Amino acid sequence: MKTIAVIFVFLIFIGSVQAQKLPYKMEELTAPDFVKAVAESAETCILPIGVFEKHGPHMPLGTDLLAAREIACRAVQQEYAVVFPWYYFSQINEARHQPGTIAYSPDLIWKILQETLDELNRNGFKKIIIVNGHGGNNAFLNYFGMAQLSEKRNYALYVFQPSENSEVVKKAEGLTFHDPFDQHAGNTETSSMLNIVPQLVHKERAGEQSGVDQQRMKELKNIYSGIWWYARFPNHYSGDGSKAAAEAGKLLNDDEVGQLVETIRKVKADKVVPELQNQFYKDAENPLKTKQ
Ligand SMILES: [Zn+2]
């Protein structure tokens, strides 16, 4: 009887601990809990960005969407922040010739990102961390970040840019191989996805198309053209996913999650960016008064 009572008290205790734990996925929060989550996160929201695009012949269209959100969700379990729902309004014009690409216009992806940030800010978030899962967004996000200075904002935008850990890469390659064209749906990304959604990865189909660099612009040195990616990888596949392994993906994902946890902690504590922004916006209102 005594044992049953102890178990009962223990279960109530576990239940209350669980009840107190706020969900980190924004779509799972009630409105009253959302208010608590904004405070609990130190007004920090993570916006994972993916896309719908071909990932070689062997991985799902939503690969970047699934990966970015999973990395964010794993990180906030160690350092709390709210994770924004599925977001796939990305720069992907270079894959418009491939089935399943959802390429919104440049104007729209700009506007929807700006309005999403503005709406998050109106709802109390002062710090927003973008976790980008799609390489085609890199230039867009850097420019978008710079453009935030064009008018006064009441929030700070931080774009997470993890660095490559050569030790981890070496270990991952030891479990698989060194993929010379490993940029899109190749060894690294396929391994990462085998650790996230193994049931959606068809490794046995990875050799059905070529992910080798076709170098069709190689004579045009010192030139940038928007067609560069299509010139090199027209199959929208760069690398070779056929030798990928889940254990290698786990090493790479754990490393990225670790870097993101560290980033969330630093962003939550950061006073530098908000203070500098405020000073900058003030100075920019009257540049003639800026000390020369
Ligand atoms: Zn991808």
Side-chain angles (χ1 to χ4, degrees), residues 36-57:
K36 289 181 197 154
V38 172
E40 175 84 18
S41 67
E43 300 165 336
T44 305
C45 183
I46 299 190
L47 175 62
I49 301 190
V51 71
F52 275 100
E53 62 167 339
K54 175 178 174 179
H55 269 79

Side-chain angles (χ1 to χ4, degrees), residues 10-31:
F10 181 70
L11 287 176
I12 289 179
F13 173 71
I14 291 287
S16 68
V17 166
Q18 276 175 345
Q20 281 165 10
K21 227 175 164 199
L22 282 168
Y24 50 81
K25 293 179 180 171
M26 190 167 153
E27 69 272 23
E28 293 180 1
L29 288 160
T30 61

Side-chain angles (χ1 to χ4, degrees), residues 47 49 87-93 103-119 130 137-151 153 155 157:
L47 175 62
I49 301 190
Y87 186 101
Y88 51 88
F89 312 104
S90 283
Q91 189 301 117
I92 186 55
N93 291 303
Y104 296 106
S105 68
D107 294 8
L108 184 60
I109 62 164
W110 189 284
K111 226 175 156 224
I112 200 158
L113 183 54
Q114 189 65 69
E115 290 199 12
T116 301
L117 302 191
D118 292 347
E119 279 298 279
I130 287 182
N137 274 341
N138 293 342
F140 163 61
L141 288 175
N142 281 348
Y143 180 41
F144 184 89
M146 293 184 86
Q148 296 304 292
L149 299 179
S150 64
E151 56 184 85
R153 318 276 173 189
Y155 57 85
L157 172 63

